[in-house]
């Protein structure tokens, strides 16, 4: 119902504004055309690869850094300044500075993306580590469980709500920020296509890629990540989950 | 004869602000024989849980030594622990919670882990609940799983810290009887912390009375001589014997009036 009203308002707006705003059908036709030409999937795949690499690196290093900060006062003091700096830096500045330092290449884009999402992952995992129930760890020690058993069976499951929550948010954020990064300094990917059509004031082209990214994010976040969340939290009383950050 | 537990001069102090410290345990000496059921009885804050944690290795003493032994002196002793709360891992099923503590050294001993788990679940009256999660069980049932978990490793020494004090008395008294039955089966040395004199008298071969602070042993007496097993929870001798413990608690030196 809510999706239907969204599309209805869009269609009405397109009708009222005339030539300036293409309607849903026109946009869909443009998407189909781009698909047939092969450009849609080509650029989508490039963008997806960039997001995946940045997201996986940020998530794994974010878990390690966050856990280290949560467990050790010294590491926390040491990295606190870095955390504040990376949390407060304007995102767009990150991309510009990264391109200027490293050149207009994928490395610069991916590093800027990592720095964009890493600090929020670190903060979340650090909070999660501080909330760990020491009584359960005592239980594991009383039964002489090994370090790896304690980590996998006792500590990690307690971090999972924090990890999955921040992973959903970070994936959504990097999915949106990658477009900006590509628009600023790459010659491939969805962001580049949008800047390309922008130069021709081709609104249908811009909307076609924009809508495709939105739909894909909704599918990945609600479908994939939601399913993962439900699977990991089977042991809890069932609760409804919804996100897209 | 060697003992299952030997404690010599164990002292434990916690630092307070301003360089002072609170002495939780002072000069504890204790020998516990193999297969004995010993209760540490005392008021809250007398250091009995601290002593239990030092015996089990969860905490370290500032001074003194603790030696644990298996009956077969060539083997390292296996110890289990039961807490006041079940401390089950909520993300694991009942069966996986028990399997979590079992390995080749403990409990398994050539048997299939699944068989061990099923056997002990059956023994605590929870047959068929293998795939339930802890939240699907009542508090009493969760504590039964904790009993099964502690028994499944066939411990040489079992540490228990007021495991039934959070349960209603009806459930608690039933579980005490069952515990004695299981204890007879696994033949473990048990150190059971409680503040309840009647519970201590019903369960123990021997009661060690502690008072704080600092935590010291003020009385140590043999219940086995007073009331032979099997014991009946309604036996009036039990009540009388428990008065001995109560008197020991009351007359202990340095005990603040309650």
């Amino acid at each position: 119902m809510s999706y239907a009203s969204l599309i209805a308002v869009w269609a009405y707006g397109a009708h009222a504004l005339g030539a300036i705003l293409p309607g849903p059908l026109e946009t869909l036709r443009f998407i189909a055309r781009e698909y047939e030409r092969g450009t849609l999937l080509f650029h989508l795949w490039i963008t997806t690869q960039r997001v995946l690499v940045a997201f996986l690196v940020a998530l794994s290093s974010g878990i390690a850094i966050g856990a280290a900060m949560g467990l050790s006062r010294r590491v926390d003091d040491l990295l606190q300044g870095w955390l504040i700096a990376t949390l407060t830096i304007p995102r767009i500045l990150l991309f510009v500075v990264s391109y200027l330092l490293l050149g207009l290449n994928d490395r610069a884009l991916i590093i800027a993306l990592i720095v964009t999402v890493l600090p929020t992952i670190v903060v979340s995992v650090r909070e999660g580590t501080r909330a760990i129930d020491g009584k359960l760890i005592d239980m594991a020690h009383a039964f002489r469980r090994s370090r790896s058993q304690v980590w996998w069976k006792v500590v990690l499951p307690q971090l999972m709500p924090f990890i999955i929550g921040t992973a959903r948010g970070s994936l959504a954020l990097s999915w949106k920020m990658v477009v900006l990064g590509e628009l600023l300094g790459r010659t491939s990917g969805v962001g580049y296509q949008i800047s390309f059509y922008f130069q021709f004031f081709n609104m249908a082209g811009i909307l076609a890629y924009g809508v495709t990214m939105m739909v894909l994010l909704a599918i990945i976040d609600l479908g994939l990540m939601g399913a993962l969340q439900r699977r990991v939290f089977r042991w809890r009383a069932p609760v409804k989950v919804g996100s897209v950050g | 004869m060697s003992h299952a537990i030997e404690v010599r001069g164990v002292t434990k102090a916690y630092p307070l602000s301003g360089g002072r410290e609170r002495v939780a345990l002072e000069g504890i000496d204790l020998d516990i024989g193999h297969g004995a059921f010993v209760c540490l009885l005392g008021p809250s804050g007398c250091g009995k849980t601290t002593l239990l944690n030092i015996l089990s290795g969860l905490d370290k003493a500032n001074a003194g030594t603790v030696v644990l032994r298996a009956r077969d002196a060539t083997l390292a002793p296996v110890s289990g622990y039961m807490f006041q709360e079940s401390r089950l891992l909520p993300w694991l099923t009942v069966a996986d919670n028990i399997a979590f503590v079992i390995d080749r050294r403990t409990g398994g001993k050539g048997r299939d882990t699944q068989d061990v788990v099923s056997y002990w679940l059956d023994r605590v009256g929870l047959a068929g609940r293998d795939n339930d999660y802890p939240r699907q069980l009542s508090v009493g049932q969760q504590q039964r799983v904790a009993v099964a978990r502690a028994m499944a490793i066939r411990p040489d020494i079992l540490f228990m810290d007021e495991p039934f004090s959070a349960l209603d008395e009806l459930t608690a008294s039933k579980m005490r009887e069952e515990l004695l039955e299981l204890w007879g089966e696994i033949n473990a040395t048990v150190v059971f912390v409680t503040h309840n004199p009647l519970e201590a008298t019903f369960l123990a071969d021997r009661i060690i009375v502690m008072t704080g602070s600092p935590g010291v042993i003020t009385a140590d007496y043999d219940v086995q001589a007073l009331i032979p097993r099997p014991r009946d929870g309604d036996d009036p001798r039990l009540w009388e014997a428990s008065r001995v413990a109560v008197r020991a608690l009351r007359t202990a030196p340095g005990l603040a009036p309650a």
Side-chain angles (χ1 to χ4, degrees):
Chain A
M1 188 58 216
S2 123
Y3 294 110
S5 67
L6 203 65
I7 290 169
V9 169
W10 179 12
Y12 177 78
H15 181 72
L17 290 170
I20 306 171
L21 182 67
L25 263 181
E26 202 181 325
T27 307
L28 200 62
R29 250 180 266 142
F30 202 100
I31 293 174
R33 214 192 74 196
E34 289 285 294
Y35 173 76
E36 274 162 21
R37 287 172 56 208
T39 41
L40 183 78
L41 289 187
F42 173 77
H43 290 288
L44 257 183
W45 177 231
I46 286 175
T47 299
T48 307
Q49 281 175 301
R50 288 170 180 156
V51 170
L52 276 185
V53 172
F55 171 71
L56 291 177
V57 172
L59 188 64
S60 49
S61 48
I63 292 172
I65 297 170
M69 287 179 82
L71 293 172
S72 154
R73 192 66 200 241
R74 273 183 50 197
V75 178
D76 195 42
D77 288 343
L78 200 68
L79 296 178
Q80 183 65 24
W82 287 85
L83 197 60
I84 297 295
T86 46
L87 272 171
T88 51
I89 191 168
R91 295 293 175 250
I92 192 135
L93 192 76
L94 263 175
F95 286 95
V96 175
V97 170
S98 185
Y99 280 134
L100 285 178
L101 286 176
L102 300 168
L104 294 174
N105 52 43
D106 272 5
R107 202 163 55 126
L109 172 62
I110 287 170
I111 286 175
L113 269 182
I114 291 172
V115 180
T116 300
V117 295
L118 185 63
T120 52
I121 297 174
V122 169
V123 168
S124 184
V125 173
R126 182 179 63 174
E127 293 319 307
T129 310
R130 286 177 180 162
I132 281 175
D133 185 354
K135 288 181 164 188
L136 292 179
I137 294 181
D138 277 352
M139 181 281 292
H141 286 156
F143 283 96
R144 307 284 182 270
R145 297 298 83 192
S146 69
R147 212 175 246 272
S148 83
Q149 280 172 309
V150 173
W151 168 253
W152 290 106
K153 294 283 175 72
V154 185
V155 175
L156 196 61
Q158 297 189 63
L159 289 181
M160 275 323 266
F162 296 89
I163 291 174
I164 291 198
T166 191
R168 289 183 83 166
S170 311
L171 187 61
L173 181 62
S174 40
W175 191 250
K176 288 176 281 194
M177 293 307 289
V178 73
V179 175
L180 178 71
E182 287 171 344
L183 189 145
L184 279 171
R186 301 300 303 122
T187 51
S188 60
V190 171
Y192 167 73
Q193 284 300 93
I194 288 174
S195 86
F196 175 80
Y197 286 116
F198 176 58
Q199 285 162 32
F200 296 100
F201 298 111
N202 185 337
M203 193 68 160
I206 294 171
L207 285 182
Y209 279 92
V211 169
T212 308
M213 289 297 278
M214 287 166 70
V215 171
L216 277 178
L217 176 57
I219 291 171
I220 292 169
D221 187 76
L222 290 176
L224 238 66
M225 298 297 270
L228 179 71
Q229 199 159 14
R230 277 188 294 279
R231 202 187 135 63
V232 170
F233 298 132
R234 248 174 341 195
W235 56 273
R236 283 185 179 171
V239 283
K240 226 169 134 33
V241 285
S243 180
V244 176
Chain B
M1 182 190 116
S2 76
H3 296 100
I5 301 174
E6 282 178 16
V7 182
R8 293 288 175 273
V10 161
T11 296
K12 175 77 182 177
Y14 295 101
L16 297 173
S17 58
R20 293 170 304 142
E21 53 180 23
R22 193 177 70 79
V23 181
L25 293 172
E26 189 157 87
I28 302 286
D29 293 319
L30 185 60
D31 287 326
I32 296 175
H34 289 288
F37 198 124
V38 173
C39 279
L40 295 180
L41 176 69
S44 309
C46 72
K48 53 196 193 302
T49 295
T50 304
L51 179 58
L52 196 72
N53 285 343
I54 289 172
L55 296 184
S56 68
L58 277 184
D59 203 348
K60 281 195 171 60
N62 298 120
T65 56
V66 172
V67 178
L68 306 184
R69 287 197 196 87
R71 266 209 176 78
D72 177 347
T74 59
L75 298 175
V78 172
S79 60
Y81 206 120
M82 259 194 86
F83 301 87
Q84 196 169 348
E85 333 81 47
S86 67
R87 299 204 190 178
L88 300 176
L89 301 172
W91 41 86
L92 296 184
T93 60
V94 165
D96 287 343
N97 261 289
I98 299 171
F100 174 64
V101 300
I102 298 176
D103 53 38
R104 218 173 294 124
R105 197 175 69 93
T106 62
K109 287 177 184 149
R111 292 172 65 196
D112 186 36
T113 301
Q114 204 50 55
D115 291 344
V116 176
V117 169
S118 303
Y119 175 76
W120 286 106
L121 274 181
D122 185 43
R123 292 291 280 124
V124 298
L126 289 173
R129 303 299 295 270
D130 307 54
N131 294 320
D132 286 348
Y133 286 100
R135 70 173 161 84
Q136 294 167 294
L137 306 179
S138 69
V139 177
Q141 288 172 327
Q142 289 176 12
Q143 205 58 337
R144 283 171 188 275
V145 177
V147 172
R149 176 175 66 186
M151 297 292 168
I153 60 172
R154 295 217 166 239
D156 299 297
I157 303 167
L158 178 54
F159 299 105
M160 307 182 89
D161 186 8
E162 307 196 20
F164 307 136
S165 65
L167 305 176
D168 63 272
E169 184 47 36
L170 209 65
T171 310
S173 66
K174 195 156 186 310
M175 286 189 71
R176 277 179 212 124
E177 287 170 19
E178 292 171 8
L179 172 65
L180 287 181
E181 240 176 75
L182 296 178
W183 167 63
E185 178 175 338
I186 65 165
N187 219 354
T189 308
V190 177
V191 184
F192 189 108
V193 163
T194 179
H195 58 248
N196 178 344
L198 203 55
E199 177 175 54
T201 314
F202 177 69
L203 289 173
D205 292 326
R206 175 182 165 199
I207 295 178
I208 292 161
V209 178
M210 290 181 68
T211 51
S213 53
V216 288
I217 293 175
T218 47
D220 181 343
Y221 63 95
D222 194 353
V223 189
Q224 190 62 353
L226 300 175
I227 316 159
R229 297 184 195 273
R231 293 173 187 161
D232 174 1
D234 295 325
D235 189 338
R237 283 178 301 173
L238 215 61
W239 177 254
E240 277 166 38
S242 79
R243 303 306 298 165
V244 180
V246 174
R247 269 195 297 280
L249 281 171
R250 283 227 180 102
T251 56
L255 185 69

